[in-house]
Amino acid sequence: MTAPRLLDVAAAAGVSRATASRVLAGTPRNVDPDLARRVEEAARRLGYRTNHSARALRTGTTGTVGVVVPSLANPYFVQLADALAQRVRAAGGQLVVSDAANSTAIEAEQIETLLSGRVDGLLVVPVSAAASGAAVRAAAGRAPVVLFDRWAHGSGTVAVTLDNAAAVRLLLDHLEGLGRHRIALVAADQASSSGAERLAAFTAARGAGAATVLLPSFTTDAGRTAGRRIAERRAEVDAVVCGADVLAVGLVSTLQRSAVSVPGEIAVTGFDDTELLELLDPPITSIRHPLADMAERALALLQGPAADRAEEVERFAPQLVVRASTDADAHA
């Protein structure tokens, strides 16, 4: 059997070839929504796949968006990439994901590789607030670029991020409302804007002398290291705010092996609300990012006029998801 053609989709949907082309190219302007749905249903039924090479020759675009994330070893960035991929696919495009291995040098190489591959636009989750900006600014001179989840100094483009300060306040208010007042922060990667903002918000709320455990990386191993330090200070701490879910997972497992009850003796929160948190015992309280809304906004900026991408930070409101690691009666 031969692969279905655009003409086959148009005939099956009862529309013109031009209408089918606009819908499947992700530009269904001035197309009746019912007709657009018919085209999409016909394409799915026939197994039609967009010919991206032909579209590139015809329109000068590929329908491809690139994203560079700091590390796919962190499940949060997998979740982030999935949210972006869903939105890109819904618009008829495809997402190419690249891993910077937490290195600004590799990040710059991956940006160059994606741009050389003719992506229509680029999203970057910058490794470093101080050191990622130059490569991003250079890229923004060649193609539309939007920063996502983090910002970088001197990037020359807009960043769509979480309101990290508001998120830390949500966590602290929650813990204090449960009667927890000896709260420690476990954090890592202060080179990133998100890590630096979370530490700054915690310090502003709790004072410069507040207990903090700063680690070299966002990993479960780093969380286990923090867990051993917190277990040694169990009489001084009754709650821990972790700067990432992977830290919380390692910390909780180590506290439990050290016979420290969670949340009985020490309540624990994560940050990012990755899916693995609900599988743990106890499930871990965390901060949920509105990734779908953030992705929609970032892609709109990527496709919009260059004037809308002036360097600034747009912050989205976080959501607190309460689970049994802080409140034994929670059923989230």
Side-chain angles (χ1 to χ4, degrees):
M1 294 178 62
T2 60
R5 303 166 302 166
L6 181 61
L7 280 172
D8 299 324
V9 174
V15 301
S16 69
R17 184 186 185 282
T19 296
S21 178
R22 286 200 301 274
V23 172
L24 295 174
T27 55
R29 296 179 181 86
N30 302 319
V31 176
D32 182 273
D34 288 336
L35 293 182
R37 278 193 295 273
R38 278 161 47 187
V39 171
E40 291 165 355
E41 289 168 3
R44 283 194 295 271
R45 187 169 64 252
L46 295 174
Y48 176 80
R49 296 290 182 270
T50 302
N51 186 328
H52 293 284
S53 296
R55 179 163 71 179
L57 289 171
R58 185 174 64 252
T59 68
T61 65
T62 64
T64 302
V65 174
V67 60
V68 182
V69 301
S71 172
L72 289 171
N74 185 332
Y76 168 65
F77 293 121
V78 177
Q79 197 161 297
L80 176 153
D82 180 62
L84 290 167
Q86 289 185 41
R87 293 304 175 282
V88 172
R89 284 196 303 270
Q94 57 185 346
L95 184 74
V96 178
V97 182
S98 188
D99 186 331
N102 287 314
S103 162
T104 53
I106 294 175
E107 177 180 64
E109 292 172 1
Q110 296 304 312
I111 288 172
E112 177 59 34
T113 297
L114 288 171
L115 289 180
S116 298
R118 289 184 53 120
V119 294
D120 293 338
L122 187 62
L123 297 158
V124 180
V125 184
V127 169
S128 168
S132 293
V136 173
R137 177 179 284 275
R142 299 164 56 190
V145 179
V146 171
L147 299 184
F148 194 71
D149 189 65
R150 299 174 174 181
W151 49 262
H153 293 293
S155 68
T157 192
V158 65
V160 176
T161 74
L162 186 75
D163 188 335
N164 286 290
V168 170
R169 289 194 297 270
L170 279 176
L171 291 169
L172 293 176
D173 288 347
H174 168 65
L175 291 169
E176 290 169 355
L178 294 170
R180 310 283 179 151
H181 300 291
R182 302 190 308 277
I183 305 172
L185 174 72
V186 169
D189 187 21
Q190 302 313 304
S192 72
S193 65
S194 54
E197 286 180 344
R198 293 169 197 179
L199 175 60
F202 182 84
T203 302
R206 304 293 298 174
T212 58
V213 177
L214 300 182
L215 301 159
S217 61
F218 282 123
T219 63
T220 51
D221 280 345
R224 283 190 281 269
T225 297
R228 289 190 288 273
R229 296 181 190 174
I230 294 295
E232 292 170 357
R233 301 170 61 183
R234 60 199 293 176
E236 306 167 28
V237 176
D238 64 6
V240 178
V241 171
C242 293
D245 288 345
V246 289
L247 296 176
V249 170
L251 182 136
V252 168
S253 65
T254 299
L255 289 180
Q256 291 174 328
R257 282 198 295 271
S258 302
V260 177
S261 171
V262 177
E265 288 184 71
I266 298 179
V268 177
T269 79
F271 205 116
D272 296 329
D273 197 40
T274 48
E275 293 178 357
L276 59 89
L277 297 187
E278 294 189 32
L279 305 177
L280 302 176
D281 186 16
I284 297 177
T285 293
S286 194
I287 288 292
R288 179 174 295 165
H289 301 233
L291 283 175
D293 292 341
M294 290 169 62
E296 186 172 336
R297 176 58 178 160
L299 290 168
L301 287 165
L302 206 60
Q303 296 162 0
D308 291 348
R309 293 191 295 274
E311 185 170 346
E312 65 173 334
V313 180
E314 296 188 9
R315 292 183 168 86
F316 280 63
Q319 177 187 351
L320 176 67
V321 181
V322 178
R323 299 190 178 95
S325 70
T326 57
D327 184 351
D329 297 324
H331 299 289

